[in-house]
Amino acid sequence: MAKKFETNSAARSLISSTDLNRGKNRFLYFFVLWFLIILFALVFFFPLYWMVTGALKDPAEMVRTPPTFIPESFHPETYVKAWEQLRIAKFFFNTAFYSLGGWLIQVLVAVGVAYALSKLRPIFGRFVLGAMLASLMLPAAALLIPAYLTVADVPILHLNLLDTPWALWLPGAANAFNVYVLKRFFDQIPNDILDSASIDGAGRLRILWSIIMPLSRPVLAVVSISAVIGMWKDFLWPLLVLQNPEVQTLSVALSRLSTTGRVPMDELMAGLAIASVPMIAVFLVFQRSILSGLSAGSLKG
Amino acid sequence: MVVLDSEFRVSDSGGGGSDRSNVAGEKQRAKRDKLKRRVQDNLLAYCFMAAGIACFAIFSWWPLIKGVILSFQQVNFVTDPEWVGLDNFKAIFDDPLFWTAWWNTLKFTLFALVLGYLVPFFMAIVINELRHFQGFFRVAVYLPLMMPPVVVVLLWQFFYDPGNGLFNTLLRGVGLPESQWTQSSSTAMISLVLVSTWANMGGATIMYLAALQSIPGELYEAAEIEGASIWQRLRHVTLPQMRFIMLVLLLLQVVATMQVFVEPYQLTGTTNPDTITVMVLIYRYAFTVNHDFGMAAAMSVLLFILLGVFSAVYLRLTRDKD
């Protein structure tokens, strides 16, 4: 506490360290700091705490007024019950399967397109890129109905993809953000490296696999994380295309279970906690790259 | 590897130098080789892009065209679609819910902008000034964005419960009148906005923070030397530097909040006229009440025209900046 605020002109902002070092301001600064820490903890962490501990209470305690802030009854088996009886396990693995498959297909498709556009530079390449980027202009909402009908009866092939993973994977692969981010990154990889590799006898595929992919790890991470999180969080589209309860995602299943009225409150709460845990864990592990990727990618997305 | 490498190069340069005599033929052959490479590259490129182009064509470009066609058609899945001209549009204009839905969506967007646009701005400015625990603030504010929206909404449904929900318990505790939250027409909309803002403000905050950190420190230093107070520095340095990102986020948020669906769908249902939004009405036209894809498509086309303008401006702005 006694340490002085240091002056660092490169990283300085609105309020300078000399401002802060004046006696009254120092007090004000720490007052604001602690006030905000408590406020943020209450606003953003407390609901999560409430969710995780709420599921531990027995149903009678859950509906008690006033509510208890520390569970008096302790029932960790509620999580097991939700996992088994609400079949959260099934929906959880459905969602995990859709997310991983969606991630793989999105990356494969986007890398192929971006590599071709960036390094092979085919004729009409700019046109293809433009047409893909134009889809960023479409609000997802505007395509909802025609995309649903397309998935129900794919043109030419006349396949019905409803209630299959493909209904999530293939439309998800038409993601211009991925193509754009990857192409911009590939553009920065000097062609000299690729030329010398090709003189050494490396084919186009080999170059992509052994040179471009390893160099692109950071940008692949950005694309991967956004793909998995997007798949995990999506609701409206899975709600439309996965109407068979057996194949639903966790979000859709929880929404459906909550409206039947036959699900015990504590088990539903446990389901909510289970649904949030994986993404929050991913976030806490990768927070640095997620937060910096967000501010880097979002402006261009 | 190294041996192979040098061998290859030696034979290559040797081969090139040996028949200088036939320069014209060599040139022609080189040209032919180049053309061949170009054709090969093009074929290969389109092989690499085939899956991507197919996905875009089927699930993005074609639905756009189909959406417009659909809005002029009557679809019943038994007989072939029938052209009905502007009938779908007439039908939705005649539906009193149409205007309700637009009005509700507009209300939601305006409320959400007041809360979700300005609050993150001030929050980011304050967090940026803090020399301690910056990581904590970032993680805290972004955490809700990691939860599936349905989970957030269901959790808040517990909080909003008029009987023993957390919010009414708190209000009771401090002696304020209780609220019906989502179940009364006067507070339903603001309840939706509160959840939505809680869940989504992290994104805007983090983007504002990134923008604030890219403001050169020298600007503040110079202003300070000139004798500018903290408020003057905020007004004349921070705000002008933030103008671009504020405009971008404004557009992004309008586009996002105009498409609100999960909150009204889950909290108040698809039949409540107090909170029915454009997206909920589209869903309702197609899947629950009317089972009329033509009307739903017509509504989507209107939404698209409106949001397309915002999206185009947004793309324009962000691309010029690169």
Side-chain angles (χ1 to χ4, degrees):
Chain A
M1 282 283 229
K3 229 172 81 184
K4 292 242 167 196
F5 293 111
E6 284 164 26
T7 313
N8 179 358
S9 94
R12 76 148 292 173
S13 52
L14 187 58
I15 302 172
S16 68
S17 300
T18 36
D19 286 333
L20 281 178
N21 280 324
R22 288 189 199 117
K24 211 176 73 187
N25 291 352
R26 270 179 77 82
F27 174 76
L28 194 66
Y29 170 83
F30 282 105
F31 177 77
V32 170
L33 179 72
W34 282 105
F35 175 76
L36 282 180
I37 287 178
I38 293 166
L39 184 73
F40 270 60
L42 277 180
V43 171
F44 295 110
F45 281 97
F46 185 72
L48 301 184
Y49 166 82
W50 192 255
M51 173 173 71
V52 174
T53 56
L56 293 172
K57 300 171 183 171
D58 70 36
E61 190 187 348
M62 250 188 115
V63 295
R64 194 191 299 169
T65 359
T68 50
F69 287 89
I70 298 163
E72 284 170 5
S73 47
F74 188 67
H75 296 281
E77 74 273 10
T78 310
Y79 282 95
V80 182
K81 268 198 284 180
W83 186 256
E84 285 164 359
Q85 287 176 12
L86 295 187
R87 298 193 303 154
I88 296 292
K90 182 172 189 58
F91 304 121
F92 185 93
F93 287 118
N94 281 347
T95 316
F97 176 58
Y98 299 147
S99 298
L100 290 177
W103 161 72
L104 193 68
I105 292 179
Q106 278 191 34
V107 169
L108 278 178
V109 165
V111 163
V113 174
Y115 175 58
L117 288 177
S118 176
K119 295 302 176 200
L120 304 179
R121 308 195 145 271
I123 43 166
F124 304 126
R126 291 178 68 87
F127 173 76
V128 170
L129 182 65
M132 287 179 175
L133 288 181
S135 74
L136 283 176
M137 254 201 280
L138 300 173
L143 290 188
L144 199 65
I145 299 304
Y148 170 81
L149 291 177
T150 307
V151 166
D153 181 15
V154 176
I156 305 160
L157 306 170
H158 292 293
L159 293 168
N160 179 355
L161 303 179
L162 293 181
D163 292 331
T164 71
W166 301 105
L168 300 186
W169 290 342
L170 295 181
N175 184 327
F177 168 79
N178 292 347
V179 171
Y180 184 64
V181 171
L182 284 171
K183 181 186 177 285
R184 279 178 61 94
F185 192 88
F186 292 170
D187 282 345
Q188 291 167 357
I189 297 176
N191 284 324
D192 299 351
I193 305 181
L194 311 188
D195 289 343
S196 58
S198 96
I199 289 169
D200 289 351
R204 294 296 194 181
L205 206 57
R206 179 77 204 248
I207 289 174
L208 175 62
W209 183 250
S210 327
I211 298 177
I212 294 194
M213 293 295 269
L215 282 175
S216 310
R217 247 178 238 152
V219 74
L220 287 172
V222 169
V223 168
S224 303
I225 291 170
S226 89
V228 171
I229 292 174
M231 283 275 179
W232 196 277
K233 282 181 63 177
D234 201 6
F235 176 67
L236 180 49
W237 182 248
L239 174 74
L240 296 189
V241 297
L242 305 175
Q243 285 171 2
N244 172 5
E246 293 304 305
V247 298
Q248 276 171 351
T249 64
L250 201 41
S251 284
V252 177
L254 284 171
S255 164
R256 177 172 51 77
L257 290 170
S258 76
T259 51
T260 58
R262 277 173 302 174
V263 175
M265 297 259 269
D266 53 338
E267 289 183 26
L268 185 64
M269 192 74 104
L272 300 186
I274 293 171
S276 353
V277 162
M279 286 302 108
I280 290 180
V282 165
F283 175 58
L284 293 180
V285 173
F286 296 106
Q287 44 151 312
R288 208 165 272 276
S289 53
I290 291 178
L291 293 181
S292 60
L294 176 87
S295 35
S298 53
L299 269 186
K300 289 147 196 153
Chain B
M1 222 16 204
V2 179
V3 178
L4 266 177
D5 199 314
S6 56
E7 253 178 20
F8 186 71
R9 255 185 222 142
V10 167
S11 68
D12 187 45
S13 60
S18 64
D19 49 37
R20 275 272 154 80
S21 51
N22 197 351
V23 181
E26 178 81 344
K27 247 187 187 165
Q28 215 161 28
R29 199 181 311 142
K31 220 172 166 182
R32 209 183 319 126
D33 280 357
K34 215 173 155 192
L35 188 72
K36 208 174 124 197
R37 273 252 329 253
R38 209 55 214 127
V39 171
Q40 269 179 349
D41 272 3
N42 263 293
L43 282 175
L44 198 63
Y46 277 94
C47 286
F48 273 119
M49 294 196 295
I53 291 178
C55 283
F56 272 94
I58 298 174
F59 299 105
S60 184
W61 302 331
W62 165 239
L64 176 65
I65 302 165
K66 189 177 167 96
V68 177
I69 296 174
L70 214 55
S71 66
F72 296 107
Q73 283 181 334
Q74 179 90 50
V75 192
N76 60 12
F77 299 109
V78 182
T79 54
D80 280 341
E82 187 190 332
W83 285 92
V84 291
L86 291 171
D87 281 5
N88 289 325
F89 290 91
K90 270 191 210 123
I92 58 173
F93 280 129
D94 286 341
D95 185 351
L97 277 177
F98 173 82
W99 301 104
T100 314
W102 280 104
W103 174 236
N104 284 340
T105 307
L106 188 71
K107 261 202 299 194
F108 183 93
T109 304
L110 289 178
F111 280 148
L113 281 183
V114 172
L115 282 179
Y117 181 66
L118 293 176
V119 173
F121 181 66
F122 289 114
M123 224 151 64
I125 288 184
V126 175
I127 295 176
N128 196 41
E129 292 312 316
L130 297 176
R131 266 62 160 184
H132 303 86
F133 300 111
Q134 277 227 356
F136 164 80
F137 290 110
R138 280 158 200 273
V139 168
V141 77
Y142 201 70
L143 207 53
L145 268 174
M146 287 295 116
M147 297 167 72
V150 170
V151 170
V152 170
V153 170
L154 284 171
L155 184 61
W156 278 61
Q157 206 159 21
F158 283 106
F159 297 160
Y160 279 144
D161 191 283
N164 59 356
L166 198 58
F167 290 163
N168 274 351
T169 309
L170 284 176
L171 289 179
R172 235 176 278 142
V174 294
L176 287 171
E178 293 170 33
S179 165
Q180 291 293 302
W181 300 106
T182 58
Q183 291 168 29
S184 129
S185 62
S186 57
T187 51
M189 202 45 133
I190 198 77
S191 303
L192 301 190
V193 175
L194 279 178
V195 201
S196 165
T197 308
W198 181 82
N200 295 309
M201 65 164 52
T205 310
I206 299 295
M207 279 160 80
Y208 279 136
L209 267 174
L212 282 170
Q213 269 156 13
S214 66
I215 299 177
E218 293 82 30
L219 291 180
Y220 288 113
E221 224 146 62
E224 201 181 356
I225 291 165
E226 302 274 319
S229 69
I230 291 174
W231 289 116
Q232 284 169 326
R233 277 176 249 160
L234 182 66
R235 165 85 181 73
H236 297 288
V237 180
T238 312
L239 282 183
Q241 292 281 321
M242 295 288 280
R243 206 176 283 152
F244 175 73
I245 177 96
M246 287 184 78
L247 182 59
V248 164
L249 276 179
L250 181 69
L251 293 168
L252 268 184
Q253 289 219 8
V254 169
V255 173
T257 49
M258 291 290 282
Q259 301 178 59
V260 56
F261 178 80
V262 184
E263 289 86 355
Y265 174 85
Q266 190 64 49
L267 282 175
T268 48
T270 54
T271 50
N272 188 336
D274 294 327
T275 52
I276 195 165
T277 61
V278 172
M279 280 311 294
V280 172
L281 191 57
I282 290 174
Y283 178 81
R284 189 184 144 112
Y285 279 154
F287 297 101
T288 60
V289 178
N290 305 60
H291 293 284
D292 189 326
F293 282 90
M295 276 168 82
M299 191 88 181
S300 306
V301 167
L302 294 179
L303 186 62
F304 169 63
I305 292 171
L306 184 74
L307 294 186
V309 178
F310 287 102
S311 302
V313 174
Y314 164 73
L315 271 190
R316 193 64 220 220
L317 276 176
T318 47
R319 206 127 23 115
D320 282 354
K321 197 74 179 174
D322 288 344

